[in-house]
């Protein structure tokens, strides 16, 4: 449901979405003044859903340096219902690689487009930062996450055996934003391009 029910955008970092069950969600960019109110709920939400235990320093590493690439979904009472934590930095060969480190949505808000909206907002912010590609890892058993990312254009790049502390295997997924990011769609078309 979600996308068609969108109300007017109030700014580039805050949007309000009306869901069919009459819950209004506000999407907002994380800013440093949010720490006191939202860092603990962010940690709780992510630790409930993700298999890796992250210390507070990991969250601060991302939020202090790349808060402009991190977004939150808040309900009408400004309680956190979803969050995405990302970064953007140079990768091998000089390209700029965006990285989605963490994405979590409260169980009772899943299936309504919240995760999709958060991922799109993060990708849009990375594009504004001139990203060449966006990468992430997800457990091979997380079918919902695989569907979400592949629907948004991410490709399976590599299988990482026993990647997580719990022993689970992961896929690295990459969304190529520019032809120069390491994959050009016509690069493998079977024609001889000389050279």
């Amino acid at each position: 449901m979600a996308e068609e029910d969108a109300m007017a955008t109030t700014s580039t970092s805050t949007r309000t979405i009306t869901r069919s069950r009459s819950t209004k969600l506000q999407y907002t960019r994380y800013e440093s003044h949010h720490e006191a109110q939202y860092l603990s709920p962010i940690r709780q939400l992510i630790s409930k859903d993700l298999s890796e235990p992250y210390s507070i320093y990991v969250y601060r590493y991302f939020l202090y340096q790349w808060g402009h690439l991190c977004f939150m979904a808040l309900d009408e009472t400004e309680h956190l219902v979803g969050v995405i934590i990302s970064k953007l930095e140079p990768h091998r060969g000089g390209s700029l690689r965006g990285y989605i480190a963490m994405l979590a949505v409260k169980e009772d808000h899943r299936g309504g487009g919240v995760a999709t909206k958060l991922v799109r907002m993060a990708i849009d912010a990375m594009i504004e930062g001139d990203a060449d590609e966006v990468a992430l890892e997800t457990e091979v058993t997380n079918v919902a996450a695989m569907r979400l990312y592949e629907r948004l254009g991410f490709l399976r790049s590599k299988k990482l055996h026993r990647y997580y502390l719990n022993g689970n295997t992961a896929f690295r997924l990459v969304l190529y934003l520019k032809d120069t990011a390491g994959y050009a769609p016509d690069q493998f078309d079977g024609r001889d391009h000389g050279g």
Side-chain angles (χ1 to χ4, degrees), residues 26 33-34 76 81 118 124 129 144 154 170 179:
Q26 177 183 355
H33 70 271
H34 289 130
E76 291 174 313
V81 299
L118 289 168
D124 288 348
F154 283 81
D179 288 346

Side-chain angles (χ1 to χ4, degrees), residues 9-16 26-31 33-34 67-74 117-118 121 125 128:
T9 300
T10 55
S11 76
T12 58
S13 65
T14 303
R15 293 177 177 86
T16 302
Q26 177 183 355
Y27 292 81
T28 188
R29 187 182 310 262
Y30 180 88
E31 296 177 17
H33 70 271
H34 289 130
H68 64 288
L69 299 176
C70 303
F71 296 89
M72 303 180 298
L74 309 173
K117 181 71 173 173
L118 289 168
M121 290 176 77
E128 288 175 19

Side-chain angles (χ1 to χ4, degrees), residues 57-70:
Y57 303 107
V58 173
Y59 293 95
R60 287 183 173 151
Y61 167 76
F62 284 98
L63 295 172
Y64 285 4
Q65 295 182 73
W66 298 285
H68 64 288
L69 299 176
C70 303

Side-chain angles (χ1 to χ4, degrees), residues 62-185:
F62 284 98
L63 295 172
Y64 285 4
Q65 295 182 73
W66 298 285
H68 64 288
L69 299 176
C70 303
F71 296 89
M72 303 180 298
L74 309 173
D75 67 14
E76 291 174 313
T77 59
E78 296 193 4
H79 286 96
L80 183 73
V81 299
V83 65
I84 188 164
I85 296 178
S86 311
K87 70 176 184 172
L88 177 64
E89 60 185 2
H91 188 58
R92 288 181 252 154
S95 64
L96 279 177
R97 175 180 266 189
Y99 181 73
I100 296 175
M102 301 169 223
L103 171 66
V105 175
K106 279 191 172 180
E107 210 166 324
D108 61 344
H109 283 80
R110 292 181 188 163
V114 176
T116 300
K117 181 71 173 173
L118 289 168
V119 172
R120 285 183 174 159
M121 290 176 77
I123 291 169
D124 288 348
M126 291 180 211
I127 290 170
E128 288 175 19
D130 204 29
D132 296 293
E133 63 188 32
V134 180
L136 61 98
E137 292 85 25
T138 190
E139 291 188 34
V140 297
T141 57
N142 192 341
V143 177
M146 295 292 294
R147 280 190 196 131
L148 165 72
Y149 292 119
E150 288 177 344
R151 193 175 67 245
L152 291 172
F154 283 81
L155 303 172
R156 296 179 192 188
S157 165
K158 187 184 289 188
K159 193 170 189 177
L160 305 164
H161 296 281
R162 300 184 54 80
Y163 181 77
Y164 292 103
L165 290 176
N166 65 6
N168 284 352
T169 297
F171 279 119
R172 174 161 300 131
L173 302 174
V174 180
L175 174 65
Y176 296 100
L177 301 171
K178 300 177 183 176
D179 288 346
T180 59
Y183 170 81

